[in-house]
Amino acid sequence: MGLQVTDIDRELDQARSEGPVRDIVIPPCPELLTALQLEMRQTDPDPAEVTRIAGSDVAMAAALMRMANSPLYSRARPANTVAEAVTMLGLGQAAAILTGFLARSTIRVNSPLVEHFWETSTRRSLAMAYMARQLYGVDAEVAQTCGLFMHVGIPVMLQGVRGYAGTLAEAMARQDRSFTETENTVHRTDHAVVGAIVARTWFLPPVIAFAIRLHHDFTVLRVSSIPAGVRNLVALAAVAEHLVADYEGVQAQTEWTRFGPACLSYLQIGESEVELWIDTLHPMFEAVVLA
């Protein structure tokens, strides 16, 4: 019997209760996000309630309107009210945008090493949502949320772990070992574990927490005891990361060179499709401007 999600649950519980993550402050889930999640879990979510939540914070309402009227969602006419923005975007997309705003507002990033963290995360989330729509049986909104939170452990560790900025710089520079190996050598934990705990604390779907925990472990693509939904997200995240890095001019990552072909093979995607997606996604990436 291979690795099970119950094993991951146990590992995260242990890390949080008695391991190195015990003393890291995990930001609590914002109340507005809790309310939004509650509504979106209803069988028939009420657009009026999502509009009320969006409009209860002026900055959040403005962010939703700005996104709805951005080149990302080129509409024949602009949205003039929050209610119109929710209607034009659709509930799932509106909820994803509001989740992104609340995450950025709650988890601040003040480090030149990851200066554009949320822009990159937003691009990754858009890429994952777009690719999910091209594949059979992958929930695009789950993929979008997963992309947004995939590296959330990094800013949380920057805020809460002494010396992590130096570790981050080293992890980004080293080619001889993986990012998480460098983190674990110094801190006995890594951003994948911390990010998964953030996802659980924020009541994101379990499939997202598991994918975040495993997103640097590509051996799981061959582990049938891990749900296909989790493995899909792990593979999609790697492809999205590659596409965003290409757009942002980041040098080719060792991880992609080593495991990219396995991720494409798992998703049954050819290089030609990836080239087509680059053409589609680059204008979407360009449209990401976060205030």
Side-chain angles (χ1 to χ4, degrees):
M1 189 164 61
L3 179 71
Q4 305 279 335
V5 289
T6 49
D7 300 327
I8 300 168
D9 264 333
R10 200 176 306 115
E11 177 207 28
L12 296 176
D13 286 338
Q14 194 168 359
R16 192 67 183 128
S17 62
E18 56 194 60
V21 184
R22 184 182 59 196
D23 299 324
I24 299 176
V25 176
I26 304 291
C29 184
E31 286 181 25
L32 287 175
L33 183 53
T34 303
L36 179 64
Q37 290 170 331
L38 193 63
E39 187 57 39
M40 292 304 293
R41 285 192 193 110
Q42 303 299 318
T43 311
D44 192 14
D46 182 1
E49 179 58 14
V50 174
T51 299
R52 186 197 68 74
I53 293 166
S56 62
D57 178 281
V58 174
M60 184 161 68
L64 185 73
M65 295 277 292
R66 189 171 62 249
M67 191 66 91
N69 291 326
S70 78
L72 269 177
Y73 305 96
S74 49
R75 310 288 185 187
R77 61 181 187 82
N80 296 309
T81 65
V82 174
E84 282 184 12
V86 170
T87 301
M88 286 163 66
L89 289 164
L91 285 182
Q93 195 54 237
I97 292 165
L98 296 174
T99 300
F101 175 86
L102 289 164
R104 295 195 304 275
S105 304
T106 306
I107 301 169
R108 300 287 182 176
V109 182
N110 300 311
S111 167
L113 287 169
V114 281
E115 188 181 359
H116 302 292
F117 179 85
W118 286 117
E119 282 89 344
T120 298
S121 297
T122 301
R123 289 183 181 117
R124 186 191 311 110
S125 74
L126 290 169
M128 286 183 70
Y130 175 80
M131 290 188 289
R133 290 189 188 100
Q134 317 307 310
L135 302 172
Y136 177 74
V138 183
D139 186 309
E141 266 118 36
V142 167
Q144 184 163 350
T145 303
C146 186
L148 187 71
F149 282 90
M150 190 58 77
H151 290 308
V152 75
I154 291 174
V156 171
M157 289 183 76
L158 273 169
Q159 288 174 6
V161 178
R162 188 190 300 275
Y164 182 71
T167 306
L168 180 60
E170 182 187 348
M172 291 165 90
R174 289 189 77 134
Q175 297 293 312
D176 61 324
R177 66 183 182 196
S178 74
F179 200 105
T180 50
E181 282 169 346
T182 298
E183 290 175 312
N184 276 289
T185 300
V186 184
H187 303 291
R188 294 189 303 116
T189 192
D190 57 59
H191 74 280
V193 171
V194 173
I197 291 171
V198 172
R200 293 209 312 181
T201 305
W202 284 36
F203 307 107
L204 299 182
V207 67
I208 292 177
F210 295 134
I212 292 172
R213 171 62 191 93
L214 298 169
H215 76 275
H216 286 291
D217 181 3
F218 298 100
T219 63
V220 300
L221 298 180
R222 300 189 301 273
V223 178
S224 58
S225 53
I226 294 293
V230 175
R231 288 182 283 154
N232 287 337
L233 291 175
V234 169
L236 274 177
V239 181
E241 194 81 10
H242 170 64
L243 296 177
V244 174
D246 178 73
Y247 171 79
E248 294 183 349
V250 177
Q251 68 181 64
Q253 302 298 297
T254 309
E255 197 168 80
W256 175 255
T257 306
R258 286 184 65 194
F259 302 109
C263 293
L264 293 175
S265 172
Y266 176 81
L267 295 168
Q268 297 181 309
I269 296 169
E271 287 284 356
S272 57
E273 281 175 278
V274 174
E275 291 300 318
L276 285 172
W277 292 353
I278 287 173
D279 293 340
T280 305
L281 286 165
H282 273 217
M284 293 172 69
F285 292 162
E286 206 170 324
V288 174
V289 181
L290 303 176

